[in-house]
Amino acid sequence: MALMHQDLVPPEDVEHADLAEVEWKTEFDVVSTLRDLGHEVMAVGVRDDLSVIDNLVTDWKPHIAFNLLEEFNGNPEFDQNVVSYLELLGVPYTGCNPKGLVLTRDKGWSKKIMAYHGIRCPEFVVYPLGRGIKWAEDFPFPVIVKSISEEASLGISQASIVHDEEKLKERVEFVHQSVGTSVIVERYIEGRELYVGVLGNRRLQALPVWELHLKNLPPDALPIATARVKWSTKYQKKYGIQSGEVEGLHPKLVRHIQQTAKRVFHILGLNGYARMDFRLDPKEHLYILEANPNAQLAYGEDLAESAERAGISYEALIQRILNIGLSWKPESQR
């Protein structure tokens, strides 16, 4: 069975749909590819009722759940609970385990853990929801203001980069009110935006280092991955935003980036597949920005494209993720 949000179950007839623009592109790509590979697939829409999963497990007895859920009952922080429920039912699943999802959900927690293990992170401070805002840090402006838990650049725009304490307070309050989460404020790292996909459980494969090219943005725009940069195809076409295998780096540095990605994967207790986001400053100092388990899996996105560059077709990638899920066991079952 393939688990997905109830509103993202692909329709049976997609003949007239623009598959590059539909909200359910990832779900369609994964389900149709699994069927092309010869698997029997039940696309299961889940919103706020776990009995949907329970009934299907009882009646259909699936070999594995291909987990595409990113929230439950409208709350992204509940995604780990669905995976925990699958473990209670004894159903194998694809993607990350509950502990890894919890640790990476809070960017403050994950950065503290990574810093403890010697992974370079930007200096940061956390402003909990409902608390006062006072700047007393010893790292300089500019800084970037982000939700501590939201993904997909939600709430990130050019206004997220602030240069003084007054604008910092305004932006933190904005995220508190509009996104409804605590805020993490990080020192802004000037440099190149790099991504590394990682596949596996204990034995890992780091995919080729990928770069998001932001050189053609308007003159007054800083090169950051805003929500428009990531999701607006119109904006991407207008400013030539694209990604591809990194160029111009010494092979030793590329290997270091890939090794760091695998270290982060292990340190945060991840499994399945993930994408690590980095910044490489002009002096080639590498900073981890965040770890993204269960990364975007649509055909043509960064993870699939970097896998293709490594010789792993999209069909082989989906089968690989399925096999990794089948071989994963919680610690109590090993």
Side-chain angles (χ1 to χ4, degrees), residues 70-72 74-82 98 101-102 105-106 109 147-150 180-182:
E70 296 182 346
E71 62 176 50
F72 181 79
N75 190 334
E77 295 190 23
F78 288 169
D79 60 351
Q80 66 264 14
N81 297 328
V82 177
L101 291 173
V102 169
R105 172 66 62 188
D106 187 306
W109 284 358
S147 163
I148 200 166
S149 58
E150 289 291 348
T181 68
S182 297

Side-chain angles (χ1 to χ4, degrees), residues 147-160:
S147 163
I148 200 166
S149 58
E150 289 291 348
E151 299 175 343
S153 292
L154 181 64
I156 298 180
S157 68
Q158 286 294 320
S160 300

Side-chain angles (χ1 to χ4, degrees), residues 4 7-11 13-14 17-19 21-30:
M4 60 200 68
D7 295 341
L8 298 177
V9 177
D13 182 10
V14 299
D18 182 356
L19 296 178
E21 297 292 337
V22 295
E23 291 184 354
W24 36 265
K25 182 182 187 305
T26 299
E27 291 74 12
F28 172 79
D29 288 346
V30 171

Side-chain angles (χ1 to χ4, degrees), residues 81-225:
N81 297 328
V82 177
V83 178
S84 296
Y85 189 62
L86 291 171
E87 290 190 352
L88 291 175
L89 293 175
V91 178
Y93 55 86
T94 64
C96 190
N97 66 83
K99 180 175 71 173
L101 291 173
V102 169
L103 291 179
T104 54
R105 172 66 62 188
D106 187 306
K107 298 179 179 70
W109 284 358
S110 59
K111 281 185 167 60
K112 288 177 183 177
I113 294 169
M114 290 186 287
Y116 174 82
H117 286 274
I119 304 295
R120 184 186 283 117
C121 306
E123 298 92 329
F124 70 93
V125 61
V126 173
Y127 291 103
L129 188 63
R131 298 278 186 88
I133 302 164
K134 184 177 180 181
W135 184 252
E137 303 306 315
D138 59 0
F139 56 94
F141 288 100
V143 296
I144 182 167
V145 181
K146 302 187 288 188
S147 163
I148 200 166
S149 58
E150 289 291 348
E151 299 175 343
S153 292
L154 181 64
I156 298 180
S157 68
Q158 286 294 320
S160 300
I161 305 290
V162 298
H163 297 264
D164 57 59
E165 191 170 345
E166 181 180 353
K167 291 295 183 183
L168 171 72
K169 183 178 180 180
E170 290 178 7
R171 192 65 190 179
V172 171
E173 290 177 345
F174 171 81
V175 175
H176 278 169
Q177 294 169 10
S178 65
V179 183
T181 68
S182 297
V183 166
I184 185 168
V185 176
E186 299 176 351
R187 179 167 68 89
Y188 171 67
I189 305 298
E190 181 184 356
R192 301 167 72 170
E193 184 96 357
L194 306 179
Y195 305 137
V196 183
V198 180
L199 306 173
N201 292 325
R202 295 181 181 176
R203 298 183 62 182
L204 305 179
Q205 178 181 1
L207 299 176
V209 179
W210 227 239
E211 181 170 10
L212 180 63
H213 297 288
L214 300 168
K215 296 179 181 178
N216 299 319
L217 292 177
D220 58 341
L222 287 168
I224 60 172

